[in-house]
Amino acid sequence: QVAEAGGDTIFGKILRREIPCNFIYEDEVCVAFDDVNPQAPVHFLVIPRKNIPQLSKSEDTDEPILGHLLVVARRIAQKRNLKNGFRIVINDGPIGAQSVYHLHVHVLSGRQMQWPPG
Ligand code: 5GP
């Protein structure tokens, strides 16, 4: 998938409620929902409402949005009682195995993670 300026993605459709999706959190800047294909017992995504296709295409002025995504990830992790930790992943571009070109933060937990990742 090629990222285009203003290009639409499945997450754009989710944000516009064109595709049903159960939000576990939402505010004026971002929404969060469970991943449809979970890679761990806990696997949710935090995405900005703004259509930032990928981290490397974000701008310096996006800094408050980028920070907010992590703050919200931490808040949800606390609410879900992920006391033993979790993993945050942002895939960027083909090398990073990004498949949906709307920026998203993966939060994974509920099983032991390995390092380095594959
Ligand atoms: P990426 O590889 O781009 O970092 O991750 C995209 C993620 O979005 C994948 O983990 C995939 O399972 C998830 N995903 C793709 N389409 C949908 C969808 O329609 N609904 C939800 N909830 N997750 C999706």
Side-chain angles (χ1 to χ4, degrees), residues 18-53:
E18 290 166 19
I19 293 176
C21 180
N22 188 30
F23 291 164
I24 58 177
Y25 175 91
E26 69 176 310
D27 62 26
E28 64 285 353
V29 174
C30 72
V31 307
F33 49 87
D34 286 322
D35 197 290
V36 76
N37 183 22
Q39 300 303 311
V42 174
H43 185 179
F44 61 89
L45 305 171
V46 187
I47 78 171
R49 290 190 189 274
K50 181 178 176 186
N51 184 9
I52 301 169

Side-chain angles (χ1 to χ4, degrees), residues 1 10-11 14 19-22 33-39 43 45 89-93 96-106 108:
Q1 190 181 354
I10 192 116
F11 291 172
I14 285 174
I19 293 176
C21 180
N22 188 30
F33 49 87
D34 286 322
D35 197 290
V36 76
N37 183 22
Q39 300 303 311
H43 185 179
L45 305 171
V89 173
I90 297 175
N91 296 324
D92 188 285
Q98 184 173 3
S99 62
V100 178
Y101 280 79
H102 182 116
L103 176 64
H104 49 283
V105 173
H106 294 262
L108 301 117

Side-chain angles (χ1 to χ4, degrees), residues 42 77-88 107-113:
V42 174
Q78 280 172 340
K79 219 171 182 178
R80 290 199 170 186
N81 213 16
L82 305 181
K83 280 191 274 212
N84 289 324
F86 50 85
R87 175 166 291 173
I88 296 272
V107 183
L108 301 117
S109 190
R111 67 167 169 82
Q112 180 59 54
M113 301 293 156

